[in-house]
C-alpha cells in the first residue's frame, strides 16, 4: 500500500484521511512521534498538536479480522464471531498464566507457535507509578509507549508467554500490574529508581522465583539485573487538570484543539479519547 504522508497544517474543513481507526504507530524519538493510518493516508499527528481537529464517526464498525460490519466492537475491533473463536481473543491473552497450549486445547496452535511460544520479557514501568508487565521481544519499546510509560526496564527474559504470565503473577503480589490511565494523563510521573525497585522485588519474591526456575530450568527463565532504564517523553503541550473521557459511541463528533498525545490517547481541550479503544470505527479526520 502506498501511503501519502500528511504533515502540513490545515483548517477544520480539510479532510486529512478517512477509514477504519487503528492503533497509532509510534517512533521512540524524543518526544515520541505518532502517526495515524487512515485508509491510504498516514497522518503526522505530532504536526497537528496545537491545532483544531475534528474526528467524525460515520456510524459503521468493521471487524479488523474479517472486515465485516459489526454492531459492536469486541476486544478492540473484532466482531462477535471472531472474538469468540480466535486464539488472539482468548482469555489467556489477558491472563497468560492460564495458557492451555500444552493441554492441546488451543484454538489456533499454529498461531500460538508463532505468537506465544517465543521469547517474552517481563518489565517494570513507571506510567502512573510502578507496575509490572510482559511483552514479546519485538514489542519493546512500543508496549511501553502504548501505556504512556515515562520509564521502563526489562527484569526477566523467558521462553514463552505462559512463563511470562507466571512471573507476572508472582511479582504482582507486591506491585500493580495495571496503569491508572487517568493518573497517567494528568502529567509526568515522578522518576523512580527502577533498579532498586527491581532488586527489592526479586528479594521479596525469591522463594517463588526459585521454585519456578527449578520447575522450568535456568534456560527458560533468566532474571536480568543489568538492563538499562529506558526514559520516554511525549508530545504534550498541556496536561488536563481534570480527565474527561470522550467516546464515539456517545459523541459521534469529537473535536477540539489537540493539546498532546500520550499512550494511545489524544488530549484535547474538550477531553481525552482512546484511539486504540475505537479500532475498526469508520471515521473522517479533519
Amino acid at each position: 500500500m502506498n501511503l501519502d504522508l500528511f504533515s502540513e497544517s490545515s483548517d477544520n474543513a480539510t479532510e486529512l484521511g478517512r477509514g477504519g481507526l487503528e492503533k497509532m504507530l509510534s517512533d521512540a524519538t524524543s518526544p515520541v512521534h505518532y502517526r495515524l493510518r487512515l485508509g491510504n493516508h498516514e497522518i503526522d499527528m505530532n504536526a497537528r498538536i496545537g491545532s483544531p481537529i475534528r474526528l467524525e464517526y460515520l456510524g459503521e464498525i468493521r471487524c479488523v479480522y474479517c472486515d465485516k460490519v459489526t454492531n459492536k466492537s469486541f476486544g478492540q475491533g473484532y466482531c462477535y464471531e471472531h472474538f469468540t473463536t480466535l486464539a488472539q481473543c482468548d482469555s489467556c491473552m489477558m491472563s497468560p498464566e492460564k495458557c492451555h497450549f500444552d493441554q492441546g486445547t488451543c484454538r489456533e496452535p499454529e498461531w500460538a507457535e508463532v505468537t506465544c511460544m517465543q521469547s517474552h520479557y517481563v518489565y517494570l514501568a513507571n506510567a502512573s507509578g510502578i507496575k509490572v508487565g510482559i511483552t514479546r521481544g519485538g514489542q519493546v519499546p512500543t508496549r511501553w509507549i502504548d501505556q504512556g510509560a515515562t520509564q521502563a526496564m526489562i527484569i526477566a527474559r523467558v521462553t514463552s508467554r505462559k512463563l511470562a504470565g507466571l512471573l507476572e503473577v508472582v511479582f504482582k503480589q507486591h506491585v500493580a500490574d495495571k496503569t491508572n490511565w487517568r493518573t497517567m494523563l494528568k502529567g509526568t510521573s515522578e522518576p523512580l529508581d527502577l533498579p532498586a525497585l527491581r532488586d527489592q522485588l526479586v528479594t521479596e519474591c525469591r522463594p517463588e522465583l526459585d521454585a519456578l526456575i527449578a520447575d522450568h530450568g535456568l534456560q527458560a527463565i533468566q532474571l536480568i539485573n543489568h538492563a538499562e532504564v529506558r526514559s520516554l517523553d511525549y508530545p504534550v503541550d498541556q496536561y488536563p487538570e481534570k480527565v474527561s473521557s470522550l467516546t464515539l459511541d456517545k459523541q459521534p463528533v469529537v473535536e477540539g484543539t489537540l493539546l498532546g498525545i500520550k499512550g494511545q490517547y489524544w488530549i484535547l481541550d474538550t477531553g481525552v479519547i482512546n484511539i486504540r479503544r475505537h479500532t475498526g470505527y469508520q471515521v473522517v479526520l479533519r
Side-chain angles (χ1 to χ4, degrees):
M1 180 187 297
N2 292 323
L3 296 174
D4 300 323
L5 187 64
F6 279 70
S7 59
E8 67 273 11
S9 62
S10 60
D11 58 33
N12 278 349
T14 302
E15 183 174 309
L16 299 175
R18 69 169 57 216
L21 278 177
E22 54 186 89
K23 187 183 85 161
M24 285 181 287
L25 305 171
S26 60
D27 301 310
T29 53
S30 182
V32 172
H33 185 251
Y34 287 98
R35 293 165 286 130
L36 179 69
R37 191 173 287 170
L38 271 182
N40 292 327
H41 297 158
E42 190 171 281
I43 303 154
D44 181 349
M45 292 307 302
N46 286 45
R48 311 306 309 169
I49 294 174
S51 301
I53 62 171
R54 178 182 173 94
L55 189 66
E56 303 171 8
Y57 174 40
L58 299 177
E60 183 176 277
I61 305 171
R62 289 189 172 271
C63 174
V64 294
Y65 187 80
C66 67
D67 200 40
K68 290 182 180 178
V69 175
T70 175
N71 292 329
K72 182 180 178 181
S73 174
F74 297 87
Q76 294 182 339
Y78 295 89
C79 64
Y80 183 75
E81 175 188 353
H82 288 111
F83 177 69
T84 56
T85 57
L86 293 175
Q88 58 199 275
C89 298
D90 204 344
S91 59
C92 56
M93 294 306 293
M94 291 297 293
S95 302
E97 71 278 6
K98 297 178 181 178
C99 172
H100 45 95
F101 180 88
D102 57 354
Q103 300 173 28
T105 54
C106 180
R107 296 173 180 176
E108 298 174 89
E110 292 183 358
W111 177 86
E113 285 279 6
V114 175
T115 306
C116 304
M117 303 300 141
Q118 62 164 283
S119 293
H120 278 65
Y121 292 106
V122 183
Y123 62 84
L124 292 179
N126 179 17
S128 58
I130 190 67
K131 74 173 289 284
V132 63
I134 70 172
T135 189
R136 294 197 305 273
Q139 290 299 301
V140 173
T142 302
R143 176 68 170 162
W144 302 337
I145 292 172
D146 288 347
Q147 294 179 340
T150 53
Q151 295 174 284
M153 182 183 67
I154 293 168
I155 61 172
R157 179 172 55 244
V158 296
T159 55
S160 72
R161 184 175 176 84
K162 181 175 184 177
L163 285 177
L166 291 173
L167 275 185
E168 185 181 40
V169 168
V170 170
F171 289 134
K172 72 181 184 181
Q173 297 177 70
H174 302 277
V175 296
D177 65 333
K178 292 180 173 59
T179 298
N180 184 320
W181 62 273
R182 290 184 181 275
T183 301
M184 181 270 290
L185 289 172
K186 285 185 176 180
T188 301
S189 298
E190 288 295 321
L192 298 174
D193 188 340
L194 294 189
L197 289 169
R198 172 203 59 209
D199 294 345
Q200 177 183 346
L201 190 60
V202 169
T203 298
E204 292 172 336
C205 299
R206 177 55 68 183
E208 296 96 328
L209 295 175
D210 287 345
L212 281 175
I213 292 171
D215 286 343
H216 299 281
L218 283 171
Q219 295 303 312
I221 300 176
Q222 299 178 16
L223 300 179
I224 298 174
N225 58 16
H226 57 270
E228 294 184 358
V229 175
R230 183 68 177 267
S231 296
L232 297 159
D233 62 292
Y234 297 86
V236 179
D237 286 346
Q238 181 181 334
Y239 285 103
E241 293 183 7
K242 180 181 179 181
V243 177
S244 299
S245 180
L246 305 171
T247 68
L248 294 176
D249 298 303
K250 296 180 179 179
Q251 191 172 336
V253 175
V254 169
E255 59 185 332
T257 299
L258 182 63
L259 301 178
I261 308 172
K262 191 176 183 186
Q264 283 291 320
Y265 286 85
W266 291 355
I267 302 172
L268 307 173
D269 61 350
T270 54
V272 303
I273 181 168
N274 184 340
I275 297 302
R276 189 174 191 176
R277 176 241 182 266
H278 293 89
T279 298
Y281 284 61
Q282 303 302 300
V283 300
V284 175
L285 178 65
R286 302 181 189 278

